[in-house]
Amino acid sequence: MATLTHTPIRRKKRIRLPAGFLFIVPSLVHLIVFLVIPIFFALYLSFHKWDVLKPNKPFIGMANYERVAADPYFWNAMWNSARYALFSVPLGMAAALAVAILVNQKLKGVQIFRTIYYLPAISSGAAISMVWMWVYWPERGLMSWALNALRVPGGGQVDWLNDPHWAMPALILMSIWTALGPRMILYLAGLQGIPAALYEAAEVDGAGKWGAFKSITLPLLMPTTLFVLVTSSIGAFQVFTPVYMMTKGGPLRTTDVVGYHIYTEAWRQFRMGRASAQSYVLFLVILAVTIIQFKLVNRRMEDYGG
């Protein structure tokens, strides 16, 4: 009896299995062609002297990696990327959490504010960069106008994108604004997953708003924080579009981040092999940073009993 019941079901499963594979074929082809093959081809290039303008592309072993290790401009770019990540990620996460808490309130028309905060996420990086170039335009830009209105001494005269002291902070400020929407959505989802009964119990126990935030909100948002931290750090180390559009790595290489440096190595110097080696060094740095973040946040979650 059991055999009679199960046989048609197994037959149906056998029929559905190839059909299921057919549905994932386009994604699988896309993944292999645009991700897996380029990864291994870049590794192959990193062991060759690969100039796109020359037919001879000899195997040179670890020479590209040795040149990368001895290249001060590459490590300057890596340091610029680290500075960019070190400031833009924590400040951006704090801003996103604050906005998420605000738009999580039961207020009339709060959906409009959620939409407004998310709008930068659906705009192109090039368009956003052009808008911020106008914001940072010396004397006539929005930033200069605001500082003049606030009567900040000399604030309206700063050439934000061409001043070695202000170019990187200008990019960081822009990145915080640009990434606010996606981070806010993640934190908002995390906040809405926290049971309201916990806040009610904390209120009965006499805990204030800060106590509830510290003892309930922050611990229960740890998984969300870990995800936002890791993805934001990876994105910060790979930043390219605003640097390409707004500063071209200048002035004086103060915004020459590693993503832009690899681009110039590959497509202006035509040294594909060395650019590939730099990409793999960047990959190892990002991997190390991610592992450290996982260990630190997991330890914090264990402290909270998670």
Side-chain angles (χ1 to χ4, degrees), residues 216-288:
I216 298 172
T217 308
L218 277 183
L220 294 183
L221 280 181
M222 273 295 171
T224 307
T225 301
L226 176 62
F227 179 78
V228 175
L229 177 66
V230 170
T231 54
S232 300
S233 300
I234 293 171
F237 272 99
Q238 293 177 331
V239 65
F240 172 76
T241 304
V243 176
Y244 176 79
M245 293 290 295
M246 298 168 71
T247 64
K248 297 285 189 296
L252 304 176
R253 291 183 179 268
T254 51
T255 62
D256 182 26
V257 293
V258 70
Y260 181 77
H261 188 83
I262 292 171
Y263 162 78
T264 55
E265 195 74 41
W267 297 106
R268 291 190 179 173
Q269 306 297 327
F270 299 114
R271 295 190 287 235
M272 298 291 177
R274 198 181 299 184
S276 299
Q278 290 174 347
S279 300
Y280 268 89
V281 173
L282 174 62
F283 164 73
L284 292 175
V285 170
I286 291 175
L287 181 65

Side-chain angles (χ1 to χ4, degrees), residues 23-34:
F23 279 108
I24 66 168
V25 163
S27 297
L28 199 61
V29 170
H30 180 273
L31 188 73
I32 292 171
V33 172
F34 293 103

Side-chain angles (χ1 to χ4, degrees), residues 151-175:
R151 299 184 183 280
V152 177
Q157 308 300 320
V158 179
D159 191 352
W160 299 97
L161 299 177
N162 291 311
D163 188 317
H165 300 293
W166 288 107
M168 180 59 83
L171 289 177
I172 290 170
L173 178 62
M174 174 195 161
S175 77

Side-chain angles (χ1 to χ4, degrees), residues 28-255:
L28 199 61
V29 170
H30 180 273
L31 188 73
I32 292 171
V33 172
F34 293 103
L35 190 67
V36 177
I37 292 176
I39 286 174
F40 286 102
F41 188 59
L43 183 64
Y44 174 79
L45 289 183
S46 70
F47 294 110
H48 291 75
K49 187 176 181 180
W50 194 286
D51 189 327
V52 291
L53 301 177
K54 296 177 182 174
N56 189 26
K57 306 178 191 320
F59 175 79
I60 56 173
M62 297 294 290
N64 280 327
Y65 290 94
E66 291 169 3
R67 285 172 188 147
V68 169
D71 183 1
Y73 293 128
F74 173 74
W75 294 110
N76 171 69
M78 191 64 82
W79 169 241
N80 287 335
S81 293
R83 280 197 304 146
Y84 180 84
L86 198 61
F87 287 98
S88 67
V89 173
L91 292 177
M93 288 174 66
L97 178 57
V99 173
I101 290 171
L102 287 175
V103 299
N104 193 38
Q105 309 300 314
K106 292 177 181 175
L107 300 173
K108 191 177 180 182
V110 73
Q111 289 85 358
I112 296 172
F113 289 101
R114 290 176 186 171
T115 306
I116 290 172
Y117 284 120
Y118 193 73
L119 275 179
I122 58 173
S123 305
S124 76
I128 290 173
S129 299
M130 292 179 74
V131 169
W132 277 83
M133 286 170 73
W134 173 75
V135 170
Y136 289 134
W137 190 8
E139 298 183 358
R140 297 181 183 178
L142 184 63
M143 182 68 80
S144 296
W145 174 83
L147 292 174
N148 282 331
L150 293 171
R151 299 184 183 280
V152 177
Q157 308 300 320
V158 179
D159 191 352
W160 299 97
L161 299 177
N162 291 311
D163 188 317
H165 300 293
W166 288 107
M168 180 59 83
L171 289 177
I172 290 170
L173 178 62
M174 174 195 161
S175 77
I176 292 171
W177 178 83
T178 307
L180 187 64
R183 291 171 182 163
M184 178 204 69
I185 290 292
L186 291 169
Y187 272 123
L188 187 61
L191 287 170
Q192 293 182 347
I194 299 174
L198 292 176
Y199 291 108
E200 291 168 4
E203 192 176 351
V204 170
D205 290 342
K209 288 190 176 178
W210 171 247
F213 175 77
K214 190 179 171 186
S215 304
I216 298 172
T217 308
L218 277 183
L220 294 183
L221 280 181
M222 273 295 171
T224 307
T225 301
L226 176 62
F227 179 78
V228 175
L229 177 66
V230 170
T231 54
S232 300
S233 300
I234 293 171
F237 272 99
Q238 293 177 331
V239 65
F240 172 76
T241 304
V243 176
Y244 176 79
M245 293 290 295
M246 298 168 71
T247 64
K248 297 285 189 296
L252 304 176
R253 291 183 179 268
T254 51
T255 62

